[in-house]
Amino acid sequence: QVQLVESGGGLVQPGGSLRLSCAASGFAFKDLHMTWFRQAPGKERELVAAIGNFGISLKYKDFVRGRFTISRDNARNMVYLQMDNLKPEDTAVYYCNAVRKWADLANVKKYDYWGQGTQVTVSS
């Protein structure tokens, strides 16, 4: 069955960095676009970044562009999110996921399964 296991979160000071990892299994990883979402307390889940199945197409939301970098390793079925210059407003649970159509990246209704996520807390 589909499994998405996020890791790498933690507590970091403003300006610090974290690297999130996501291990995917149970589906044709190399055929799907991969995404990172986040959800802060009391807020809706939102798209953070996406990477095309070949690792060429990239998408970043404005609030992370220039600070976060998404990457993938199709040989290992892994996707990563390098987060630099973290801000308190980046505090959230971060989730990875997979989607077939680029046009559906930000539509949470197009995702059938969610992992447990990994908590990122940015605080001094």
Side-chain angles (χ1 to χ4, degrees):
Q1 71 276 19
V2 173
Q3 281 197 325
L4 298 161
V5 181
E6 302 92 345
S7 62
L11 173 64
V12 63
Q13 293 187 345
S17 297
L18 284 174
R19 188 191 192 214
L20 306 184
S21 299
C22 171
S25 61
F27 61 94
F29 181 83
K30 64 180 177 62
D31 291 340
L32 300 182
H33 310 309
M34 295 301 295
T35 54
W36 282 98
F37 282 78
R38 71 185 185 187
Q39 187 166 19
K43 295 189 176 181
E44 294 185 350
R45 195 164 297 186
E46 61 181 355
L47 178 70
V48 173
I51 185 166
N53 61 320
F54 294 118
I56 297 174
S57 297
L58 302 173
K59 180 181 178 68
Y60 296 97
K61 297 297 285 186
D62 287 345
F63 50 78
V64 302
R65 188 174 289 116
R67 301 188 298 121
F68 291 11
T69 303
I70 188 171
S71 61
R72 66 189 293 164
D73 184 340
N74 283 357
R76 292 184 169 85
N77 285 13
M78 296 288 294
V79 62
Y80 307 98
L81 187 67
Q82 176 67 40
M83 306 188 296
D84 299 317
N85 190 21
L86 282 160
K87 304 176 181 181
E89 51 264 42
D90 295 319
T91 296
V93 179
Y94 284 72
Y95 302 87
C96 69
N97 220 312
V99 68
R100 189 165 301 278
K101 295 182 179 180
W102 195 253
D104 292 336
L105 289 177
N107 187 349
V108 295
K109 296 180 181 179
K110 294 295 185 180
Y111 297 87
D112 296 326
Y113 175 84
W114 293 91
Q116 83 288 349
T118 186
Q119 175 71 48
V120 171
T121 303
V122 185
S123 175
S124 55

